[in-house]
Amino acid sequence: MSTLVTPFTDKRMAEIVEKVQNGVRLSVEDGVYLYQTDDLLTLGQLANEANLRKNGKKVYFIENMSLYFTNVCEARCAFCNFRKDQGEEGSYTLSGPDMIDYVEQHIHPGVREFHIVGGHNNHVPFQYYVDSLRALNEKYPDVTLKAYTAAEIDFFTRISGLSIKEVLQELQKAGLKTLTGGGAEILSDEYRKKMRVDKANVDRYLEVHRTAHELGMRTHTTMLYGSIESYEDRVNHMVQIRELQDETNGFMVFIPLSMQPKSKNASIMRRNSAYEDLKTIAISRLMLDNIDHIKAYFINIGPQLAQVALGFGASDAHGTIVRERISHAAGALTPEGLTRKELIWLIKGAGRIPVERDTFYNEIQVYE
């Protein structure tokens, strides 16, 4: 039975409510309307119902650690403040032993995943990226390697001369278990041209994940919203992910990433509103009916809003992270990480059940 309270909902919203409650897939037009409506509470309740049907009151998190082997990058995406040129002040490229030294200084008991992304550094060969994973895998065999974006995989094909499949197979031999979701930005080639996203195009991003799924990997996927894209661009992005999921069933989670300004001192008007962030979480849940989890990424929207998002369709609170760098190289004002206790507190405060998980959403411990 529905728990929605919608006595003043307009006819268009009522039609969408009926669709969702009867398992009818939403169209692009439906998604755009949901962005246009000011009926945030009905939208949130509808997304909450959809999530409760999938996940009950469980909200997942993981003990993980973000690692960045290099910030040297050939790409010059308009929104990125992380990248550096080779030799520029602040640039770095760590070896496997260098990274192990860093991990030894910062790792905490219970970490079960390394989240690894970085720049497209064409001053080192593909073998460097393989060896980086192998060094970690040999030192920490019980920690899952979630490494590289689809855009990085595409970059590796160019510097190695290998196919997508061959690149992934070489990385799997070194210990790779899953791909991160980054590099998607907005899946529109027009957007990518305007924002100087001079890395994997839309087809290549999707093909990398398709190939990974064919090789038996389950992966993550993202959407970076809040710049020049239209509502229709966002919804079309979700639909392309939904269509690939229909084909492969390889995505575990969708992660909406709220765009950060390039300065911590940026005006509030340069940031996405809480209203927009909550809408995007909720619409993601409703459009992506074939993906189990929507993540509330506290790094970009803050812990408090991430907590509220658990009532707007999100079922994943991400992880401990330890020290996030990409969003914080720009204007993120949030913590660089949270502890297990803080994540449990955050989830329980939303009236939900915290579940510590592994990378693949196998339950490690339920905190009733």
Side-chain angles (χ1 to χ4, degrees):
M1 180 179 293
S2 173
T3 60
L4 283 175
V5 181
T6 58
F8 304 109
T9 291
D10 63 31
K11 181 180 178 183
R12 187 77 179 84
M13 180 65 92
E15 290 171 351
I16 292 174
V17 169
E18 185 175 1
K19 271 182 147 181
V20 172
Q21 293 181 337
N22 287 287
V24 178
R25 178 165 277 182
L26 298 186
S27 66
V28 171
E29 293 74 21
D30 293 329
V32 171
Y33 170 81
L34 292 174
Y35 266 116
Q36 293 170 337
T37 184
D38 61 359
D39 193 353
L40 181 65
L41 293 183
T42 297
L43 171 58
Q45 289 181 82
L46 191 60
N48 185 51
E49 276 199 358
N51 176 52
L52 290 174
R53 284 197 296 272
K54 279 187 177 292
N55 298 299
K57 288 196 169 186
K58 289 182 175 180
V59 172
Y60 295 82
F61 73 93
I62 188 169
E63 288 263 19
N64 67 346
M65 186 174 182
S66 290
L67 305 179
Y68 311 85
F69 272 92
T70 181
N71 63 352
V72 176
C73 190
E74 66 171 14
R76 295 179 178 276
C77 303
F79 48 78
C80 183
N81 210 40
F82 174 75
R83 64 153 321 274
K84 300 286 185 183
D85 289 323
Q86 177 84 339
E88 182 181 352
E89 183 179 356
S91 66
Y92 65 87
T93 301
L94 303 181
S95 67
D98 289 338
M99 182 58 79
I100 288 170
D101 287 344
Y102 171 83
V103 172
E104 289 288 282
Q105 293 171 34
H106 296 91
I107 197 168
H108 55 267
V111 166
R112 60 184 75 253
E113 174 189 280
F114 291 139
H115 178 111
I116 304 165
V117 294
H120 298 193
N121 187 344
N122 57 357
H123 298 276
V124 292
F126 172 54
Q127 192 62 42
Y128 162 82
Y129 296 94
V130 177
D131 292 343
S132 296
L133 294 192
R134 182 173 289 114
L136 284 173
N137 193 48
E138 290 176 354
K139 178 68 175 179
Y140 305 100
D142 296 327
V143 180
T144 300
L145 299 186
K146 178 174 76 173
Y148 306 134
T149 67
E152 286 173 278
I153 300 300
D154 177 66
F155 166 70
F156 297 158
T157 68
R158 290 192 285 106
I159 64 173
S160 69
L162 301 175
S163 67
I164 291 172
K165 182 177 181 180
E166 290 168 335
V167 163
L168 289 170
Q169 287 174 324
E170 287 302 306
L171 293 170
Q172 283 182 305
K173 290 175 188 175
L176 179 70
K177 294 297 188 293
T178 181
L179 300 180
T180 70
E185 324 314 355
I186 293 291
L187 294 177
S188 157
D189 284 327
E190 181 181 358
Y191 165 95
R192 296 169 99 75
K193 183 178 180 180
K194 289 179 179 177
M195 293 295 286
R196 304 198 311 273
V197 185
D198 47 348
K199 52 188 179 183
N201 64 19
V202 173
D203 288 343
R204 290 291 281 183
Y205 179 89
L206 295 171
E207 187 59 30
V208 168
H209 281 280
R210 178 181 289 109
T211 305
H213 299 166
E214 289 170 352
L215 289 172
M217 285 193 226
R218 303 199 71 211
T219 65
H220 310 70
T221 189
T222 64
M223 179 180 75
L224 180 66
Y225 66 93
S227 59
I228 64 169
E229 81 282 354
S230 65
Y231 290 153
E232 188 170 9
D233 287 334
R234 294 182 194 177
V235 178
N236 279 327
H237 177 112
M238 296 176 197
V239 168
Q240 289 178 84
I241 296 299
R242 188 171 73 182
E243 289 173 349
L244 181 55
Q245 182 73 343
D246 281 342
E247 179 186 336
T248 66
N249 195 34
F251 291 120
M252 296 180 285
V253 60
F254 181 76
I255 308 145
L257 299 173
S258 186
M259 179 78 80
Q260 302 299 300
K262 283 198 170 185
S263 169
K264 294 182 186 297
N265 298 319
S267 162
I268 188 174
M269 294 183 291
R270 300 288 297 170
R271 300 177 183 274
N272 286 322
S273 69
Y275 199 82
E276 195 79 356
D277 289 331
L278 288 176
K279 271 193 172 185
T280 300
I281 293 280
I283 293 166
S284 299
R285 178 62 286 160
L286 295 174
M287 293 299 300
L288 294 164
D289 51 44
N290 56 0
I291 293 180
D292 286 340
H293 300 287
I294 305 297
K295 183 172 291 186
Y297 190 55
F298 71 82
I299 288 293
N300 285 28
I301 66 174
Q304 288 88 349
L305 192 61
Q307 184 181 54
V308 175
L310 302 181
F312 279 71
S315 57
D316 189 304
H318 197 51
T320 50
I321 301 176
V322 181
R323 187 186 175 197
E324 195 279 339
R325 293 189 187 178
I326 293 178
S327 292
H328 286 88
L333 301 174
T334 57
E336 293 181 336
L338 292 175
T339 66
R340 177 200 276 122
K341 286 184 178 179
E342 288 171 330
L343 285 165
I344 292 170
W345 173 88
L346 183 148
I347 294 166
K348 285 188 172 182
R352 302 298 161 118
I353 301 169
V355 181
E356 187 173 352
R357 62 173 176 87
D358 67 8
T359 299
F360 304 101
Y361 288 86
N362 297 305
E363 296 183 3
I364 304 301
Q365 185 170 350
V366 178
Y367 296 86
E368 295 283 2

